[in-house]
Amino acid sequence: MNNPLIKLLKSKIYTAIFLLAILLGAGVVGFKILSQLSWIDAFYMTVITITTVGFGEVQPLDESSKVFTILLILTSVVIVGYAISVITEYILSKNNLEGLKQRKMQKKIDNLKDHIIICGYGRNGKQAATKLMAYKKPFVVIEKNKEIAEKYQSELVPFVIGNANEDETLLQAGIERASTLISALPNDADNLFVVLSSRQINSDLNIISRASQETSYKKLKLAGANNVILPDKIGGDHMASLVVVPGLLEFIDNLSIVGKSNINIEEISVEQLYDTSQIKTIRDLDLRKQTGCSIIGFKNAQGEYLINPEADLKLIPNSKIIVLGRPEQIQKLNSLYNI
């Protein structure tokens, strides 16, 4: 009901009702004064005139009453016609609201490129969506539960209602143009099927899958998943770490990204920092002096990570750096390099 089209049509209906009320009131008063009719007879004459049903007159009309009747008929044709068209449009639009919303959302999805597809909007799917919104990454959610999709669908969270196991649904989410797929379905067999289907459609896709059982890990990797996450195992390790190294884990938790204002760590392509036609080192870049951020990691073109890289490390093309800083320092870095 919050759809702008429905709101517009509702306002038009209120306008039509207001005009009909004025028309009815003017007709009653007009017949009462011009023809000296009783209030009931004046109301009767107004109704049969506006509706043009063709019933007989209460009494013969004089010339002034006839002119008034002509004007009333012509005015009523316009106002009643307008009211009927608005009401009809409202009924049709209300019935087709779901289809209109889905077509609008699908048009937006069709324009996406290098986006992320999240399969399943349960606990893990919601967390993934929240993180992606913090980074302003475009994404699409595939959810087969229609009630969940209608509840959470918005301009920021576009949904495709359907089963992620079906190729047609994946194509509807733009899998051929997507860069990453996150399969967060609760059932390992469903995740396995999604990974297989996705890898067949898009061989270059980065696939991240959830797994409930450790025995599913190797199967999902063989099916084509680049990364397999075991939420229950991670949760257990996290709780145990709170006992073994509570202070260290608390510090790591403070690096978590829960919103744009709390980002403390970020991965950046070297191409975003300088022209790689002339190779620079970490020392040459001097991010610490310019932004306050520290480089704590390096990822080369082959995807290999180096923790705490040396200052003389060359920042070669297609590599990335991991920077650490307070939120205002990260923001300063993003502003300085237009990231």
Side-chain angles (χ1 to χ4, degrees), residues 95-323:
N95 291 338
N96 296 322
L97 177 59
E98 184 178 333
L100 289 170
K101 286 172 66 178
Q102 195 58 44
R103 282 195 295 272
K104 182 181 177 182
M105 189 62 67
Q106 188 59 49
K107 187 176 180 180
K108 180 181 178 181
I109 293 170
D110 291 341
N111 291 326
L112 292 177
K113 188 178 180 181
D114 294 329
H115 58 289
I116 297 96
I117 297 174
I118 301 174
C119 300
Y121 205 62
R123 183 177 66 255
N124 297 126
K126 286 178 185 175
Q127 289 174 343
T130 301
K131 184 68 66 69
L132 292 173
M133 280 191 284
Y135 264 93
K136 295 184 178 179
K137 296 287 186 181
F139 66 92
V140 177
V141 178
I142 297 177
E143 174 57 55
K144 67 178 181 180
N145 190 317
K146 191 175 179 181
E147 292 181 0
I148 292 176
E150 289 178 347
K151 181 179 179 181
Y152 293 103
Q153 183 167 280
S154 66
E155 290 295 325
L156 295 175
V157 187
F159 274 83
V160 171
I161 302 173
N163 194 332
N165 290 338
E166 299 176 358
D167 289 355
E168 185 180 346
T169 305
L170 292 171
L171 291 169
Q172 195 176 341
I175 191 170
E176 293 173 307
R177 306 181 307 278
S179 62
T180 304
L181 179 136
I182 299 173
S183 189
L185 301 174
N187 187 283
D188 286 358
D190 290 336
N191 285 318
L192 181 64
F193 200 90
V194 170
V195 171
L196 282 168
S197 300
S198 302
R199 183 56 71 202
Q200 271 192 328
I201 298 172
N202 188 341
S203 59
D204 298 324
L205 192 67
N206 178 35
I207 302 176
I208 302 167
S209 177
R210 173 189 186 275
S212 300
Q213 305 295 326
E214 291 190 35
T215 52
S216 303
Y217 182 90
K218 288 184 179 180
K219 295 176 184 176
L220 286 162
K221 292 287 284 186
L222 287 171
N226 299 90
N227 300 97
V228 179
I229 308 300
L230 294 156
D232 294 338
K233 182 180 179 181
I234 292 173
D237 288 345
H238 193 93
M239 288 186 285
S241 298
L242 284 170
V243 177
V244 181
V245 283
L248 177 61
L249 198 65
E250 186 178 358
F251 173 76
I252 294 173
D253 285 342
N254 284 327
L255 301 182
S256 298
I257 304 163
V258 294
K260 188 64 179 175
S261 61
N262 293 318
I263 292 178
N264 297 110
I265 190 168
E266 192 160 340
E267 184 181 75
I268 304 169
S269 300
V270 296
E271 285 81 3
Q272 294 178 285
L273 301 172
Y274 78 100
D275 182 2
T276 54
S277 59
Q278 295 183 344
I279 304 299
K280 289 185 178 182
T281 64
I282 292 177
R283 180 181 285 108
D284 296 332
L285 210 57
D286 201 12
L287 285 185
R288 177 71 179 176
K289 183 178 180 181
Q290 294 188 62
T291 66
C293 296
S294 300
I295 298 177
I296 62 169
F298 175 78
K299 180 182 178 183
N300 63 23
Q302 290 73 43
E304 299 169 341
Y305 281 93
L306 177 64
I307 305 300
N308 195 24
E310 301 294 336
D312 293 328
L313 181 72
K314 293 181 179 180
L315 300 173
I316 58 176
N318 300 319
S319 61
K320 296 181 180 180
I321 59 170
I322 294 89
V323 298

